[in-house]
């Protein structure tokens, strides 16, 4: 019996749909959909529960594997509020699962926990050391969730906790720093460093989560990475996307983003921008050795990302309105100036709105 939190929407909904219509001979005896509300999904059993409420324990009876997808990754949620939800939800799920006698829990974080650095090998081994991060970005959320997983393994020896780390996600309608990066006029690069790109289509993450749940894949040290195989170079990405890059010094790029973030003009923290300019490519050894393969390569995943950006404009992780696009385009000679020009444009528009 496989349980899925956050089953009414997003990744949880996709996973429940896949588990309810399995391929091959191995299938879940029953799919338990857990959320605060019902959704129009067939062939599943609904259990209404709040993943942040300790009463969740009473809704986990009989579950063999619990996949937790009820997290918040929205760029629009205030960082402190998002952090509180993500940590409390993961903590409640792990504690409730242990109390209910659930043998396995699967958490979803991100390859961001490996960190992006100019000297990263390409690819990184799946069991590479996780970097610590106390920032208010999503990377900090994921780091804390993984710390909770480590504590749960020590505190509850009968509970197997697997952390699934997808590469940057792409899919129709997904609004992420990655999608906003490719909605900018040009792609930011850092002088003297070559970027390598690796993506994960949301359908591949869904498939990998189902595979882990049904086939008992736990990974080395409880870690499983998910991504398209290999990577694309910066030049290959630019050719496929039909885009050009602009190159700036690292201190200028990160300094400008830091100031924009501190002014609440962009949701992108300086640490998160590193993933757009430095490599973080992972070898997905556990799934490959278990017999799972992604359906999408990096080129096709990039194609999906490019299709989803139509009509959208963004700079430094911030989605722009029509006026902001016009002001920025008129006043910025280069993309580095565009980021600074955007900040000035937004301030100007805000002042006009208050007058």
């Amino acid at each position: 019996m496989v349980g899925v939190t956050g089953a009414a929407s997003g990744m949880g909904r996709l996973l429940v749909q896949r588990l309810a219509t399995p391929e091959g001979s191995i299938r879940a005896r029953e799919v338990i959909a857990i959320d605060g509300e019902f959704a129009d999904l067939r062939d599943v059993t609904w259990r209404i529960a709040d993943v942040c409420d300790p009463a969740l324990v009473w809704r986990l009876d009989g579950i063999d594997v619990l996949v937790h997808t009820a997290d918040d990754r929205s760029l629009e949620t205030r960082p402190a509020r998002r952090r509180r939800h993500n940590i409390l939800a993961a903590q409640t799920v792990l504690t409730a699962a242990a109390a209910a006698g659930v043998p396995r829990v699967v958490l979803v974080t991100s390859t961001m926990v490996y960190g992006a650095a100019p000297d990263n090998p390409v690819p990184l081994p799946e069991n590479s050391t996780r970097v610590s991060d106390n920032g208010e970005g999503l990377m900090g959320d994921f780091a804390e969730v993984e710390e909770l997983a480590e504590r749960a393994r020590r505190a509850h020896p009968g509970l197997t906790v697997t952390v699934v780390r997808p590469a940057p996600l792409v899919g129709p309608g997904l609004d992420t720093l990655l999608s906003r990066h490719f909605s900018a006029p040009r792609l930011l690069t850092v002088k003297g460093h070559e970027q390598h790109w690796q993506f994960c289509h949301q359908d591949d993450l869904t498939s990998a989560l189902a595979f882990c749940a049904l086939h008992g894949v736990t990974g080395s040290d409880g870690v499983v990475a998910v991504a398209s195989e290999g990577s694309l170079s910066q030049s290959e990405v630019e050719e496929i996307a039909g885009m050009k890059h602009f190159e700036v010094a690292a201190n200028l790029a990160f300094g400008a983003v830091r100031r924009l973030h501190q002014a609440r003009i962009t949701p992108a923290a300086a640490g998160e921008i590193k993933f757009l300019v430095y490599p973080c490519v992972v070898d997905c050894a556990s799934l490959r050795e278990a017999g799972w393969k992604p359906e999408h390569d990096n080129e096709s995943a990039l194609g999906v990302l490019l299709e989803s950006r139509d009509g959208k404009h963004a700079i430094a992780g911030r989605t722009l309105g029509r006026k902001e696009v016009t002001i920025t385009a008129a006043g910025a000679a280069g993309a580095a100036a565009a980021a600074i020009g955007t900040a000035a444009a937004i301030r100007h528009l805000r002042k006009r709105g208050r007058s």
Side-chain angles (χ1 to χ4, degrees), residues 163-202:
V163 175
V164 174
R165 299 170 175 172
L169 288 170
V170 303
L174 287 183
D175 180 22
T176 65
L177 285 178
L178 179 69
S179 66
R180 294 185 182 188
H181 180 66
F182 279 88
S183 296
R186 293 192 179 190
L187 298 174
L188 171 68
T189 62
V190 169
K191 187 176 297 184
H193 298 287
E194 175 74 7
Q195 173 65 309
H196 294 266
W197 294 93
Q198 184 182 46
F199 309 106
C200 179
H201 193 286
Q202 64 180 6

Side-chain angles (χ1 to χ4, degrees), residues 168-325:
L169 288 170
V170 303
L174 287 183
D175 180 22
T176 65
L177 285 178
L178 179 69
S179 66
R180 294 185 182 188
H181 180 66
F182 279 88
S183 296
R186 293 192 179 190
L187 298 174
L188 171 68
T189 62
V190 169
K191 187 176 297 184
H193 298 287
E194 175 74 7
Q195 173 65 309
H196 294 266
W197 294 93
Q198 184 182 46
F199 309 106
C200 179
H201 193 286
Q202 64 180 6
D203 289 346
D204 284 335
L205 175 56
T206 304
S207 169
L209 289 172
F211 191 91
C212 288
L214 297 175
H215 292 80
V217 179
T218 57
S220 176
D221 299 323
V223 171
V224 176
V226 185
S228 297
E229 295 181 2
S231 62
L232 296 173
S233 68
Q234 180 69 27
S235 59
E236 288 173 326
V237 164
E238 291 178 17
E239 182 177 355
I240 294 169
M243 299 178 70
K244 296 181 179 180
H245 70 272
F246 68 96
E247 187 179 78
V248 297
N251 60 345
L252 174 60
F254 300 135
V257 171
R258 186 177 298 108
R259 289 189 292 274
L260 291 170
H261 182 66
Q262 289 172 344
R264 298 297 179 189
I265 293 171
T266 171
E272 293 176 308
I273 293 296
K274 289 183 179 180
F275 291 89
L276 303 177
V277 296
Y278 294 147
C280 181
V281 176
V282 184
D283 179 14
C284 305
S286 293
L287 282 169
R288 183 177 63 249
E289 292 169 3
W292 178 88
K293 293 183 180 179
E295 298 176 7
H296 298 266
D297 58 20
N298 284 298
E299 185 170 348
S300 66
L302 175 59
V304 172
L305 174 63
L306 296 173
E307 288 176 5
S308 67
R309 69 179 179 173
D310 288 348
K312 300 175 183 176
H313 303 277
I315 289 177
R318 188 188 195 280
T319 300
L320 304 181
R322 184 174 299 175
K323 283 187 177 180
E324 294 167 358
V325 171

Side-chain angles (χ1 to χ4, degrees), residues 79-80 82-83 87 112-113 130-145 147 151 261 269 271-272:
R82 187 198 65 228
R83 176 73 54 87
I87 300 310
M112 292 178 76
V113 299
R130 172 173 56 82
V131 300
S132 59
D133 183 272
N134 296 320
E136 65 176 21
L138 271 170
M139 183 179 174
D141 292 21
F142 298 141
E144 286 203 38
V145 168
E147 287 179 8
R151 291 181 208 152
H261 182 66
E272 293 176 308

Side-chain angles (χ1 to χ4, degrees), residues 31-224:
V31 181
I32 306 298
I34 301 171
D35 209 315
E37 60 184 8
F38 291 103
D40 57 339
L41 296 173
R42 297 181 178 180
D43 301 320
V44 302
T45 300
W46 282 94
R47 295 182 183 177
I48 302 302
D50 179 353
V51 294
C52 293
D53 186 340
L56 174 68
V57 65
W58 306 113
R59 313 302 290 160
L60 304 182
D61 182 58
I63 291 177
D64 302 301
V65 186
L66 179 62
V67 184
H68 174 52
T69 71
D71 56 9
D72 184 355
R73 304 187 179 211
S74 172
L75 297 177
E76 304 305 324
T77 305
R78 286 284 186 177
R81 179 180 179 183
R82 187 198 65 228
R83 176 73 54 87
R84 283 194 301 270
H85 170 82
N86 288 339
I87 300 310
L88 181 57
Q91 190 173 46
T92 304
V93 164
L94 290 167
T95 303
V102 176
R104 293 180 56 212
V105 170
V106 178
L107 303 176
V108 185
T109 60
S110 167
T111 55
M112 292 178 76
V113 299
Y114 293 106
D119 57 351
N120 271 352
V122 178
L124 286 160
E126 187 176 52
N127 61 354
S128 296
T129 303
R130 172 173 56 82
V131 300
S132 59
D133 183 272
N134 296 320
E136 65 176 21
L138 271 170
M139 183 179 174
D141 292 21
F142 298 141
E144 286 203 38
V145 168
E146 295 212 6
E147 287 179 8
L148 290 173
E150 292 173 2
R151 291 181 208 152
R153 294 185 187 107
R154 294 193 297 267
H156 310 290
L159 178 65
T160 298
V161 182
T162 301
V163 175
V164 174
R165 299 170 175 172
L169 288 170
V170 303
L174 287 183
D175 180 22
T176 65
L177 285 178
L178 179 69
S179 66
R180 294 185 182 188
H181 180 66
F182 279 88
S183 296
R186 293 192 179 190
L187 298 174
L188 171 68
T189 62
V190 169
K191 187 176 297 184
H193 298 287
E194 175 74 7
Q195 173 65 309
H196 294 266
W197 294 93
Q198 184 182 46
F199 309 106
C200 179
H201 193 286
Q202 64 180 6
D203 289 346
D204 284 335
L205 175 56
T206 304
S207 169
L209 289 172
F211 191 91
C212 288
L214 297 175
H215 292 80
V217 179
T218 57
S220 176
D221 299 323
V223 171
V224 176

